[in-house]
Amino acid sequence: MNSCQDIDVRLIRDDEIPEWVRALNAGFQRPPTASGAEIADRGSYLVPERTLGAFDGERCVGTFRSFAQEITAVGGAAVRADAVTNVSVTSTHRRRGILTRMMAQGLAAARQRGDVVATLISAEYPIYGRYGFGAATTVAEWTIDVPRAGLDPRWAGPDDGGRIDLVDGAYVRKTGPELHERLRRAKPGVVDRSERWWQVATGALVPDRVAWTEPFHAVYRSARGEVEGLLTYTVDERWGDRKQPLETAEVKDMLAVSPAAERALWRYICSIDWVTTVKTGWRAPDDLLPHLLPDPRAAGITAQADCLWVRVLDVVAALEARTYGATNSLVLEVVDADGPAGGRYRLDASPEGASCARTTEDAELTLSVGELGTLWLGDESAVRLVALGRVREERAGAALVADALLRTSRRPWCPDIF
């Protein structure tokens, strides 16, 4: 067995992309042999200075890449992020420190570039806390039993002067990005979407490894004619033994920048003839949906889990980027073994803005950099983390101050998996 030191962790060359893709597929338990189309597609968006491979001789046994991302902080500021994805270690080379080496190189490069945070979607919960990431957003999926929802079957469209229209993928590519930007400026945790994202979502680009089913796209226009919502969904074909339609509509994406749009689009999908079940896709856990129904119990949570993980790289920039719900100060001891974020910081915050700087004052709250990432978007409670033993109060009442400053009235949400 080769030692960790025998494994070469480095940026990959262009001619190594096929081998890197093979290792990626093997690491994710997919058929390892990649088609020429898949190799060409992945090669078209890999960023050379952000794509690492772990090599045992000429064989790639670990993959890691990242891309430039913007994430919305509390208050609407766009924050530079290093989005980590395609992380794998081949099953024959586990437990040799390969992931630790790749992560260390990747995060060091991100900090050198000036990225404020790193982000990822964790396939398994226990892995990334070791590298300073904290679970920062949660998602939930509801399944709606439409006949039990209590909705009026005579509903024929919004009663607020707005309207709903079915549109094609070309229309979505034209109007969707601007609508998403409006949502992104208003919702903490939302990340930017590339042109490629919209092409794949609408079928203009179908990667070789993806099974494509053309979805329906519905837009909500306000009484002023402005697009305020977009719903993308598919419908299966299922009939009962007594020739009764029992179809399920599955939401792939739903963006709404007003409560009216949100209400109208949920009402619309629940009114489609033959649809008896609606699966909502990943929504914020405090989504309005259940209480938009006359009987909220008709919408049951069928899945709930952590989603976006955040690793703070620059504490000062991260804390100064967001807004705060109160005026107060707090001295934080951030623990980040061998990482860039460790140290003691004084945060002076108010609804008008904040300043943060290193300090020698006595700490009031001690927490790991991962717990700072968990708190940064406002979803978690410092008081709760103290009760769990994950944060330590050095001054009585400091966790209450942290909650007053950091928590948000609505929970953050990341609608995208990357």
Side-chain angles (χ1 to χ4, degrees), residues 190-214:
V190 179
V191 297
D192 61 329
R193 290 178 173 178
S194 66
E195 180 182 353
R196 175 188 168 83
W197 189 99
W198 291 101
Q199 290 177 335
V200 172
T202 58
L205 174 63
V206 181
D208 186 60
R209 63 190 180 279
V210 174
W212 168 252
T213 298
E214 183 181 8

Side-chain angles (χ1 to χ4, degrees), residues 10 20 32 87-88 105 108 143 166 184 187 189 221 230 234 329-330 336 358 377 401 413 418:
R10 57 174 172 78
W20 188 91
V87 179
S88 76
Q105 287 192 33
T143 298
L166 288 175
R184 189 162 75 95
K187 189 72 170 175
R221 294 184 178 89
L230 168 64
T234 58
S329 63
L330 193 64
D336 186 13
R358 290 185 180 269
L377 288 174
V401 172
W413 176 49
F418 55 88

Side-chain angles (χ1 to χ4, degrees), residues 148-173:
R148 295 192 61 184
L151 296 166
D152 185 350
R154 297 169 299 176
W155 188 85
D159 57 5
D160 57 4
R163 60 177 292 163
I164 292 174
D165 294 296
L166 288 175
V167 298
D168 61 13
Y171 186 89
V172 172
R173 289 191 295 275

Side-chain angles (χ1 to χ4, degrees), residues 2-10 52-56 59-64 87-106 130-131:
N2 289 348
S3 68
C4 179
Q5 286 70 31
D6 295 326
I7 305 298
D8 186 17
V9 175
R10 57 174 172 78
L52 293 168
F55 289 85
D56 185 354
R59 189 167 185 80
C60 186
V61 294
T63 64
F64 180 105
V87 179
S88 76
V89 176
T90 301
S91 55
T92 56
H93 286 68
R94 298 165 63 248
R95 306 295 184 264
R96 302 193 203 179
I98 292 173
L99 174 56
T100 297
R101 291 177 61 193
M102 293 192 298
M103 186 66 73
Q105 287 192 33
R130 303 199 303 265
Y131 307 110

Side-chain angles (χ1 to χ4, degrees), residues 141 193 197-198 200-202 210-218 230-236 248-255 266 269 278-283 413-417:
E141 181 180 57
R193 290 178 173 178
W197 189 99
W198 291 101
V200 172
T202 58
V210 174
W212 168 252
T213 298
E214 183 181 8
F216 296 94
H217 305 284
L230 168 64
L231 171 67
T232 296
Y233 63 96
T234 58
V235 180
D236 67 3
T248 296
E250 185 170 350
V251 175
K252 302 300 183 181
D253 193 31
M254 206 272 262
L255 308 176
W266 286 125
I269 198 168
V278 173
K279 297 182 73 66
T280 66
W282 295 120
R283 308 296 302 167
W413 176 49
C414 181
D416 294 337
I417 304 298

Side-chain angles (χ1 to χ4, degrees), residues 27 94-95 120-130 306 309:
R94 298 165 63 248
R95 306 295 184 264
L120 56 80
I121 307 295
S122 179
E124 296 183 71
Y125 194 96
I127 296 175
Y128 293 100
R130 303 199 303 265
D306 56 282
W309 289 58

Side-chain angles (χ1 to χ4, degrees), residues 220-232:
Y220 167 84
R221 294 184 178 89
S222 69
R224 302 182 305 277
E226 185 176 9
V227 174
E228 293 185 349
L230 168 64
L231 171 67
T232 296

